[in-house]
Amino acid sequence: MKDALLKLESVSCAYDGPTVVEGVSLEVRAGEFVAIAGPNGSGKTTLLRAASRAMAPRSGRVLLDGRDLYEETDAKSAARRLAVVPQDAVVEFDFLALEIVLMGRYPHLGRFDAETERDREAARQAMERTDTWELRDRPITELSGGERRRVLMARALAQEAQILLLDEPTSHLDIHFQVEILRLLKNHVDAGGASVAVMHDLNLAAAFASRVVLLQEGRVTGEGPPREMLVEEKLKSVFGPHLEVRAHPDGGPLVLPRIP
């Protein structure tokens, strides 16, 4: 078995009040697309923040390539290995979309270095892959939610990190771009990377993820292949009774709401 690129050991997190994530252990290896699923308030975003060096755990450790992410890894070194697409990124200045994507090259630059042709080419390729190249000269503040989401995805791809961490990467996107973004993540995994995404759409998780982690009240209640996790009994215990699981034509699970 491959060594874990990213490893969470008994991680617990809290803000000013009660514990939000409690005792979570998780390993992510090259070639894996891990979907984190659970009801609202179950700690999914908090767990992703801990894994991305944005929120130090109250207890436990996060290891990146075997080194403590918070104690032994500086921010720039972490950014060369981890790229993050947050759920809602607030951009208060009128940066052009291309400038936003070029920010993904920062971990590869020296303190006073300007972008090189190699950096600009990486940004261009990332924007072409996310169908945002035509947006390059538009201010990020003028883009729609879906366009902004794709630009942020391009920034993460331009970063050329092996591990991608994404919080609801398909939000604000129509079905075409949902599939295209998840296909990019799958291609990243197939090329030897790893993708970890918080996902609300269980059917998209079933179609693209190699492993599903179910989170409830800050604890992992199960993890494994989609066909083992996305079964009616398990999902009802996490999300409640108003759903049913049928067989998709491809043989995988199809999760549907149960209409009263």
Side-chain angles (χ1 to χ4, degrees):
M1 182 177 290
K2 299 177 182 177
D3 292 336
L5 301 176
L6 184 67
K7 186 175 183 180
L8 283 68
E9 296 181 338
S10 301
V11 166
S12 295
C13 300
Y15 296 94
D16 293 331
T19 300
V20 179
V21 169
E22 188 166 355
V24 170
S25 295
L26 178 66
E27 295 186 5
V28 180
R29 294 177 172 81
E32 285 194 307
F33 185 157
V34 180
I36 301 175
N40 293 337
S42 59
K44 301 183 298 297
T45 294
T46 301
L47 183 63
L48 205 69
R49 292 188 69 199
S52 65
R53 206 177 180 274
M55 181 179 183
R58 173 179 285 180
S59 61
R61 296 194 305 165
V62 181
L63 303 178
L64 177 63
D65 297 325
R67 297 171 60 87
D68 191 293
L69 182 60
Y70 290 87
E71 299 295 332
E72 301 177 286
T73 310
D74 62 76
K76 199 165 188 177
S77 296
R80 286 193 288 267
R81 302 287 290 129
L82 293 168
V84 183
V85 180
Q87 182 178 356
D88 293 304
V90 178
V91 182
E92 297 179 348
F93 300 98
D94 289 335
F95 291 111
L96 300 181
L98 178 56
E99 292 174 325
I100 293 291
V101 177
L102 281 169
M103 291 177 187
R105 300 301 301 166
Y106 165 76
H108 304 282
L109 300 176
R111 184 174 180 183
F112 300 108
D113 290 346
E115 295 95 354
T116 65
E117 184 59 34
R118 168 74 180 84
D119 299 312
R120 290 187 287 273
E121 178 63 14
R124 183 187 66 79
Q125 290 182 9
M127 296 188 81
E128 288 181 344
R129 291 170 68 192
T130 53
D131 200 15
T132 55
W133 182 240
E134 72 279 5
L135 304 175
R136 60 190 180 277
D137 295 324
R138 291 181 57 188
I140 190 75
T141 52
E142 295 180 5
L143 301 183
S144 70
E147 290 170 334
R148 185 178 301 193
R149 169 66 54 168
R150 288 187 284 127
V151 168
L152 295 176
M153 181 69 193
R155 182 181 67 181
L157 293 176
Q159 200 168 321
E160 296 183 327
Q162 188 175 13
I163 307 167
L164 298 179
L165 303 176
L166 310 100
D167 196 352
E168 297 187 42
T170 59
S171 66
H172 304 298
L173 299 179
D174 61 39
I175 186 63
H176 167 75
F177 282 119
Q178 288 180 12
V179 171
E180 287 304 308
I181 290 298
L182 292 175
R183 186 172 287 136
L184 285 173
L185 298 182
K186 182 68 165 55
N187 291 342
H188 176 74
V189 164
D190 291 342
S195 299
V196 181
V198 169
M199 298 183 68
H200 277 297
D201 192 317
L202 299 178
N203 291 314
L204 288 176
F208 287 94
S210 55
R211 182 155 51 104
V212 174
V213 177
L214 295 177
L215 204 63
Q216 184 178 21
E217 296 181 350
R219 295 178 178 272
V220 173
T221 62
E223 63 173 295
R227 294 189 186 203
E228 295 179 10
M229 292 296 103
L230 303 182
V231 295
E232 200 162 294
E233 181 180 358
K234 289 182 182 293
L235 293 180
K236 283 184 175 181
S237 69
V238 174
F239 293 96
H242 302 298
L243 58 81
E244 58 185 287
V245 179
R246 299 180 183 177
H248 192 277
D250 71 359
L254 177 64
V255 184
L256 299 170
R258 175 168 290 172
I259 308 301

